[in-house]
Amino acid sequence: MTGEVDARAFRRALELAARGGRFTAPNPRVGAVLVRDGKIVAEGWHRRAGEPHAEAIALDAAGELARGATLLVTLEPCSHEGRTPACARRIVAAGVARVVVGMVDPDPRVRGSGIRILEEAGVEVELAEGELARAAEELLEDYLVHRREGRAFLLHKVAATLDGKIADREGRSRWITGEAARTRGRELRDRCGAIVVGAGTVLADDPVLLPPTREERPPFFRVVLDGRLKVPPTARLFREGAESPVLVCTTREGLAAADPGPLAAAGAEIVVLPAAADDPLAVDPAGLLRELGGRGVLAALLEGGGRTAARFHAAGLVDRLDWFVSPSLLGDPEARGALVGGRRFLPERLAFRIAEVERVGDDIHVVARPARP
């Protein structure tokens, strides 16, 4: 980028893109800003899959002011015709002189072809660099994992005491953190297309597992990992939130050992997935995330108990950790920890890098990502 005007406008595009939340899936969250004579003249963001893309909204708002302007967009403009026209061709037709792109789209239907259309038409194209390029990748981290690996991105949300306990020895967890932290945690559901818990969480807490914004499109999947099919059909999640499907995931062995009829009659979709290598009644974490990715889920939120979480961490499938720390201690070795069955020795520990730390009410919200190469 060539100056502060570009940087400021690109940051605005990132802010706009984030408004899309989970509703753009399986499309990416994208923001676009048009700048002319050093001033923002129009802006837009992709609100929902099937609706106009960010670039189209900004161009429509700008009208003739788009001619000769600079467009800053968080992701390479699309080049294929789908439910909406190709944005790259619309940019050319509008007479935009210059485009700053956050990153190349890894989707094989695009992957550089949108940039080629612009350049072949004489539009100057520049890729974001440094901090702003990293911010664009972070904004799209779920989309990138989905397109590159064919699975849902996984956030693990934890609310724990200072000594890492998520519930007391009897399984009571209400409430470890304060209302502000709980609200922040619920807001994470509006970023994700699915929530994942183990059967033990349903048995202990009888949660409803709904997002703050309740809409049918796209669906918000409530996923219960239940190899033994022991969740009762009377659970609240079957009685409330009919717009959000409930997937009860088991294995072939689990299906053979229990009758899925009552759960199906209660409204659950019984999904049979591969078993974990060490337990024929435990669902393979990678298989679950591929299943969700195939259903158009870009990101899933793991809120399960310690044993469920440990399986995903052991498989290296946790992409982001949102840890809410309460300024309290339980001090009971029998209290339930955030991970059960994790690493035993210090050299084997799971390493993360801290991305953000923020005080939320009386609690602390830590965002961390795996310290992968």
Side-chain angles (χ1 to χ4, degrees):
M1 295 187 191
T2 57
E4 183 54 37
V5 171
D6 279 354
R8 186 167 61 250
F10 192 80
R11 292 189 190 98
R12 175 60 178 165
L14 291 167
E15 292 173 0
L16 293 167
R19 295 182 182 181
R22 65 185 173 86
F23 300 100
T24 65
N27 295 344
R29 294 180 293 274
V30 179
V33 170
L34 273 163
V35 173
R36 185 176 179 135
D37 299 326
K39 295 181 180 179
I40 293 176
V41 296
E43 57 187 34
W45 74 93
H46 188 35
R47 290 169 169 80
R48 189 184 298 274
E51 295 185 5
H53 289 185
E55 303 95 315
I57 294 171
L59 291 170
D60 286 344
E64 280 301 308
L65 289 175
R67 193 163 300 278
T70 291
L71 174 69
L72 300 101
V73 60
T74 54
L75 182 68
E76 176 184 8
C78 65
S79 56
H80 61 284
E81 301 283 340
R83 286 182 283 183
T84 59
C87 290
R89 301 192 189 282
R90 284 214 55 185
I91 293 166
V92 171
V96 171
R98 176 171 169 263
V99 178
V100 177
V101 175
M103 65 174 296
V104 175
D105 191 338
D107 191 312
R109 295 172 298 175
V110 186
R111 199 177 293 163
S113 60
I115 290 174
R116 282 196 300 275
I117 289 172
L118 297 174
E119 291 179 332
E120 288 170 0
V123 178
E124 179 186 351
V125 179
E126 184 178 345
L127 282 172
E129 298 177 342
E131 176 189 343
L132 294 177
R134 288 190 293 273
E137 289 197 13
E138 188 172 298
L139 169 77
L140 293 165
E141 57 188 354
D142 53 354
Y143 173 74
L144 299 180
V145 165
H146 184 271
R147 292 303 193 269
R148 290 169 178 168
E149 301 182 30
R151 67 170 177 89
F153 178 95
L154 188 68
L155 292 83
H156 179 202
K157 191 204 84 175
V158 176
T161 60
L162 285 168
D163 51 344
K165 304 301 183 181
I166 62 172
D168 65 20
R169 63 170 60 201
E170 295 182 358
R172 293 174 298 196
S173 60
R174 296 181 180 177
W175 296 108
I176 286 178
T177 54
E179 180 58 35
R182 296 199 299 275
T183 298
R184 174 74 62 86
R186 286 191 293 269
E187 288 170 353
L188 288 174
R189 297 182 186 182
D190 265 347
R191 172 184 167 154
C192 300
I195 183 169
V196 180
V197 300
T201 295
V202 178
L203 292 169
D205 297 337
D206 197 17
V208 179
L209 304 175
L210 289 170
T213 307
R214 294 171 61 171
E215 296 185 18
E216 294 183 1
R217 190 168 65 91
F220 179 84
F221 295 103
R222 294 176 287 169
V223 180
V224 182
L225 303 182
D226 189 7
R228 292 170 172 79
L229 296 180
K230 59 185 179 180
V231 167
T234 55
R236 288 176 63 209
L237 77 169
F238 299 120
R239 304 195 308 270
E240 300 180 36
E243 74 281 1
S244 296
V246 179
L247 309 182
V248 175
C249 299
T250 187
T251 65
R252 194 171 285 109
E253 290 80 358
L255 194 64
D259 178 14
L263 288 173
E269 178 183 348
I270 307 300
V271 181
V272 181
L273 295 174
D278 62 339
D279 185 349
L281 292 176
V283 171
D284 173 52
L288 171 69
L289 295 182
R290 286 194 298 269
E291 173 71 22
L292 293 176
R295 292 173 182 254
V297 173
L298 296 185
L301 182 65
L302 176 63
E303 288 193 8
R307 294 187 188 282
T308 299
R311 285 196 174 276
F312 284 91
H313 280 281
L317 291 171
V318 174
D319 300 292
R320 167 173 158 160
L321 181 62
D322 283 75
W323 193 291
F324 293 88
V325 184
S326 163
S328 61
L329 295 166
L330 271 172
D332 180 0
E334 300 300 319
R336 300 185 182 181
L339 290 183
V340 178
R343 309 305 173 94
R344 296 177 61 191
F345 302 107
L346 191 61
E348 301 171 343
R349 70 192 186 277
L350 298 166
F352 288 80
R353 58 179 179 84
I354 303 297
E356 301 171 35
V357 178
E358 182 183 356
R359 182 166 179 164
V360 183
D362 291 328
D363 306 303
I364 299 294
H365 180 198
V366 179
V367 177
R369 293 183 174 83
R372 297 168 181 156

